[in-house]
Amino acid sequence: MWALFVATVYFGTFLVIGWVAKRMLDRWMGQRGVELSEVQKQAGRRGERTVFLLGAWRKESDL
């Protein structure tokens, strides 16, 4: 039972921190009238690139 309690506290803390950060970011962007698509347009086209994600290489494009 102790291991379950420790795992709940450990993972639960990260989940709560992530949820709070997402809510704060959504609120901040909502107050300023900014959407993610607008931010991505400002970055411009990056073309195709190779990225490393979760232990695997993959090709990514912004088409």
Side-chain angles (χ1 to χ4, degrees):
M1 284 309 281
W2 181 250
L4 182 60
F5 173 74
V6 170
T8 303
V9 170
Y10 183 78
F11 292 116
T13 302
F14 285 105
L15 289 174
V16 169
I17 289 171
W19 181 78
V20 169
K22 181 184 182 316
R23 299 287 299 171
M24 289 176 57
L25 186 59
D26 287 343
R27 185 174 175 196
W28 183 81
M29 290 180 74
Q31 287 175 347
R32 284 155 181 78
V34 179
E35 293 183 5
L36 181 59
S37 61
E38 294 173 9
V39 175
Q40 290 173 336
K41 285 180 188 176
Q42 290 177 0
R45 293 187 46 91
R46 294 187 304 187
E48 188 171 304
R49 62 190 181 128
T50 304
V51 294
F52 187 77
L53 179 64
L54 300 175
W57 288 97
R58 66 186 186 96
K59 296 238 183 238
E60 181 179 90
S61 65
D62 60 349
L63 297 177

